[in-house]
Amino acid sequence: MIPDIRHAYNQSFSPARYQDLLKELGRISGVEPAFRVAETPVFIPRELTNRLLEAGDEILKVVTRPDIKTLTAGAIPKTFNVPGENARPQFIIIDFAVTRANDGSLTPKLIELQGFPSLFGFQQLLAAAYRRHTNVPSGLENLGKGLDDHSYRDLLRRTIVGSKPPEETILLEVLPLQQKTLIDFACTEEMLGIPVVCVSELKQSGRQLYFERQGRKRPVSRIYNRVIFEDLENMRPQLGNPIDLRQDFDVEWAPHPNWYYRISKYLLPHIHGPFAPRAWFLDEIPVLPQQLDQFVLKPLFSFAGQGVIIDPTPEDVAKISDPGNWILQEKVEYAQAVETPTGPAKCEIRLMYCWPDDAPAPILAQNLARLSKGKMIGVSYNQSQDWVGGSSSFFEY
């Protein structure tokens, strides 16, 4: 998006160096990326960087409200309410579309947010690979302002491991070896020395959790939680009916499962301002907008774009039996913001915040970018296109 840097990058792009980048990701992590990695990073000019930071700060004001738990009391399905909830979400993830303002400048618009981890390990590996194999100018940063690789790793350790021993901290997932995010799990294990554990491996002794590796019983005192509880329940028979995690265990969660629901699409109707599209709970709209095609329908309890209706009709709305679990959000028009050799691409930028127990406020730690040339943005889409997929932003601070 920084025109001179973009032009120079496109001119100097080498398919061979891109292939070397992909090979390095697999070699260093030990896992081949299960999603498409874009040929290019995204270069964010200072004006857009400042707008992204401002938009993030405005949204954090809602997320960190003293009454946030009261505000989101209806967000947690009774079936998935887990005891032992802590006072804060250790992770806050905010997705912005890159759009054009009325004056033609680039500006962010809120798409979604979540109180759940993202690819904190892999994105650092990816940014380093872009630097080594492509022309990323010095002076542009992928990390939050003031962070370097050392302080970033320390921030992750404080957030994920906290005060517990790394050997008693686990990254917990449902069938992790089958997840598209396995490469991130491998990066996290390497960075922090914490094992990746499937929920089927967990065992309990009273309120204590443990798992066994190489014939040794290993206690669990802290969980880096990557489990989507709906997935867990749907796959319970396949997992051999593992223990029920909705018990009051003597364990710290990072983040606690309830924050997945509290900091989610549920908050979109409560966020207002120039960076926030209008949004309503579907059951609270007395009359549907006449131009319904200018809105999108989103189920509250889904992820990775599943169930989203991009061009809803009154018939689509009429079919919804649980309107309280859906929101209607004003459609956002993505800008064709990133010039590539095979045509312009749309871009979404994810700001990834950590909020360790010893920090007074969330800290911008990392980012993730996604490039698309189709209707949908996620890395599972546009598989037949090039210069699209998962990427990393480099900010001009």
Side-chain angles (χ1 to χ4, degrees), residues 317-335:
V317 176
K319 292 177 185 175
I320 293 175
S321 59
D322 56 343
N325 291 329
W326 289 72
I327 63 165
L328 189 69
Q329 185 181 27
E330 188 176 18
K331 191 174 286 186
V332 172
E333 184 176 350
Y334 288 72

Side-chain angles (χ1 to χ4, degrees), residues 255-280:
H256 189 278
N258 290 359
W259 287 109
Y260 171 78
Y261 299 102
R262 293 189 186 279
I263 311 302
S264 66
K265 289 187 283 286
Y266 189 89
L267 274 182
L268 292 177
H270 299 286
I271 298 173
H272 310 285
F275 304 117
R278 293 175 297 165
W280 304 268

Side-chain angles (χ1 to χ4, degrees), residues 10-169:
N10 291 355
Q11 290 293 312
S12 65
F13 176 76
S14 163
R17 289 167 67 187
Y18 170 61
Q19 290 302 318
D20 289 342
L21 180 151
L22 297 179
K23 290 175 185 175
E24 179 175 294
L25 295 176
R27 178 178 57 80
I28 293 178
S29 68
V31 177
E32 295 296 324
F35 47 84
R36 194 177 197 287
V37 175
E39 286 84 342
T40 181
V42 182
F43 306 114
I44 309 295
R46 184 170 287 106
E47 181 181 29
L48 180 56
T49 296
N50 291 337
R51 289 181 177 182
L52 281 162
L53 297 178
E54 182 184 348
D57 287 345
E58 288 300 311
I59 292 161
L60 290 178
K61 288 178 183 177
V62 177
V63 173
T64 59
R65 281 172 49 166
D67 65 341
I68 187 64
K69 288 193 176 183
T70 301
L71 183 68
T72 58
I76 307 169
K78 291 180 180 179
T79 321
F80 300 121
N81 198 333
V82 177
E85 182 179 340
N86 60 344
R88 64 173 63 175
Q90 282 96 343
F91 303 95
I92 301 165
I93 308 299
I94 310 176
D95 289 339
F96 292 101
V98 176
T99 72
R100 290 211 179 270
N102 293 334
D103 63 2
S105 61
L106 296 175
T107 194
K109 287 285 186 180
L110 174 64
I111 297 297
E112 287 191 12
L113 70 165
Q114 52 185 224
F116 194 75
S118 188
L119 308 184
F120 284 94
F122 173 72
Q123 286 303 120
Q124 187 64 356
L125 173 65
L126 178 59
Y130 276 131
R131 288 193 188 276
R132 278 192 290 270
H133 293 281
T134 69
N135 294 329
V136 176
S138 61
L140 300 180
E141 301 296 338
N142 66 293
L143 297 173
K145 197 170 185 178
L147 291 176
D148 58 19
D149 184 72
H150 177 77
S151 56
Y152 175 69
R153 289 171 180 255
D154 179 66
L155 175 60
L156 283 189
R157 182 176 300 279
R158 288 158 50 205
T159 308
I160 293 172
V161 181
S163 60
K164 297 297 183 181
E167 61 271 19
E168 294 185 11
T169 303

